[in-house]
Amino acid sequence: MRSVLIGNGVVIQHGGADYLNANIIQRGIDNIRAGCHPAHLYPRECADFVFALAKEHPAALNGDYDSYVFTTYDRMSLTDFKSRYDSARTYSATEIGFEDYFLLFELVHNKLSITNPERFNSRGVLRRMFLDSVFNKGKIESVHKQFSAGFVRWLKTHNHILTTNYDSNLEIATGLPVHHLHGSFNTLSEVYDPNSFRNQLEDDLLDGEKVDFDYPHLYSTCLVSYVGDLKSYSMTQSSLANTGMKKFVEGYQSNPDLRKQIDSWDESNDLVKRLKEAIQLKAEHPELEHSEQYPHEILGNISGTLEIVGLSPNNDGHLFEHILENKNITQIVFHHFSAQEAADAKQLFSSKNLSTRDVRDFWVDVNT
């Protein structure tokens, strides 16, 4: 069996420099300055916010924020963050990884003791600005027009196509199903789906947030985070919620004492009230479930050969952990862009049967 994992390098190869990190950030800033953005969904202050966070980049590298890290995964993320930049030089706003801005965001909010809902709302508008820039007014969805016939044929030789990309170019080009590990512009997040389980509850869980479906990509399942642990949590959240809810409902229906206890829960606490209502609602409508919007199990189920194209071995470690744990993956072919990437891949996959190949040679072969 053959599988392939595709990253953003494939979009850059065919869509050009527009999808490099620096240009994604610059485009977001330029769109705001030119007024070419949905100001009712993210304000012009987002551009100023990016520059304010960029000013904290040297402080974060030099350890000034070390005491404002409160979780294990944040501490690991900060360590990784420091390893990827040179503290002896200054980086412009466009040289900082756009997902790293979300780590800077958390560090600054920790230092200033800013909590929800302000923190949640500010994070949300920053996410929308960057997602809108990646979407590039929908142009990213046309990148497949630049795919060669040879590349499309090569894609079709695989049993499974997986990607960390948000766009739908792979499925359009091949006509095959594609596993979007980090979500898709074309899939509405359950948070905003009026027919979802969570939105059948009486409370307005959006807390009055106005949704404009003229911009569906801003309400999609796309995961944007500075740390793999948070992405992993988001990928498995629905599955865990369904399992937990099933156990609650089974007890509610089979144990009269538990049913009486749940029915008498104090509703003054919003979380308790929502859990109580959800249990009662699912007991009445067992078909209701949280939708599984991220195919998190696929990396544990594939077997045989896995080729990786367009991904850095230094990003998305949460995905590589699943690959390393899968003993049925017998060979990995890693297409690298530099000698350093090849060396890093060899270290990362030292326990696997690995071969590395210069991605430029790959493109020559599939395009001829």
Side-chain angles (χ1 to χ4, degrees), residues 13-221:
Q13 174 70 22
H14 297 92
D18 275 354
Y19 303 102
L20 292 170
N21 178 83
N23 290 330
I24 289 171
I25 295 172
Q26 189 63 58
R27 181 165 54 246
I29 293 169
D30 290 345
N31 286 343
I32 288 177
R33 287 175 170 171
C36 299
H37 70 108
H40 61 298
L41 299 181
Y42 59 92
R44 62 177 301 159
E45 287 79 11
C46 278
D48 297 331
F49 195 20
V50 168
F51 286 109
L53 291 174
K55 287 183 178 179
E56 300 305 312
H57 187 260
L61 290 182
N62 291 323
D64 294 356
Y65 279 92
D66 289 3
S67 60
Y68 298 103
V69 174
F70 305 131
T71 65
T72 300
Y73 58 77
D74 275 355
R75 190 169 293 107
M76 292 175 61
S77 296
L78 184 54
T79 299
D80 174 68
F81 173 87
K82 291 178 180 179
S83 72
R84 289 184 284 104
Y85 297 95
D86 181 359
S87 60
R89 57 160 293 201
T90 300
Y91 292 81
S92 69
T94 59
E95 290 179 302
I96 301 170
F98 85 82
E99 290 193 334
D100 286 337
Y101 275 103
F102 289 89
L103 175 59
L104 292 171
F105 173 96
E106 299 300 333
L107 295 175
V108 169
H109 281 66
N110 286 349
K111 181 178 180 179
L112 298 178
S113 300
I114 299 174
T115 57
N116 294 331
E118 291 82 8
R119 186 168 180 151
F120 175 84
N121 293 333
S122 295
R123 188 190 299 113
V125 295
L126 186 65
R127 173 184 179 273
R128 288 178 188 168
M129 186 198 80
F130 283 128
L131 275 183
D132 210 21
S133 184
V134 173
F135 191 63
N136 197 15
K137 301 187 186 307
K139 293 178 184 178
I140 195 172
E141 295 287 8
S142 299
V143 168
H144 64 91
K145 294 177 181 179
Q146 306 305 318
F147 287 2
S148 69
F151 178 50
V152 174
R153 283 196 300 271
W154 179 83
L155 287 169
K156 288 182 176 181
T157 64
H158 295 86
N159 303 94
H160 299 287
I161 302 174
L162 301 80
T163 185
T164 57
N165 298 340
Y166 308 138
D167 58 86
S168 56
N169 288 294
L170 296 171
E171 46 262 66
I172 293 173
T174 63
L176 298 173
V178 173
H179 303 280
H180 285 268
L181 301 176
H182 289 166
S184 165
F185 282 130
N186 290 327
T187 305
L188 185 66
S189 171
E190 186 181 41
V191 174
Y192 300 104
D193 183 354
N195 299 314
S196 68
F197 184 6
R198 75 186 302 280
N199 286 325
Q200 302 307 305
L201 304 180
E202 291 182 2
D203 283 357
D204 178 13
L205 299 185
L206 296 180
D207 197 24
E209 179 183 358
K210 302 300 181 184
V211 179
D212 186 346
F213 287 116
D214 287 338
Y215 301 89
H217 58 286
L218 300 183
Y219 304 98
S220 64
T221 54

Side-chain angles (χ1 to χ4, degrees), residues 229-246:
D229 283 353
L230 294 181
K231 287 180 178 176
S232 290
Y233 173 75
S234 296
M235 290 168 67
T236 60
Q237 188 175 21
S238 291
S239 178
L240 293 172
N242 284 329
T243 299
M245 187 56 59
K246 181 180 178 181

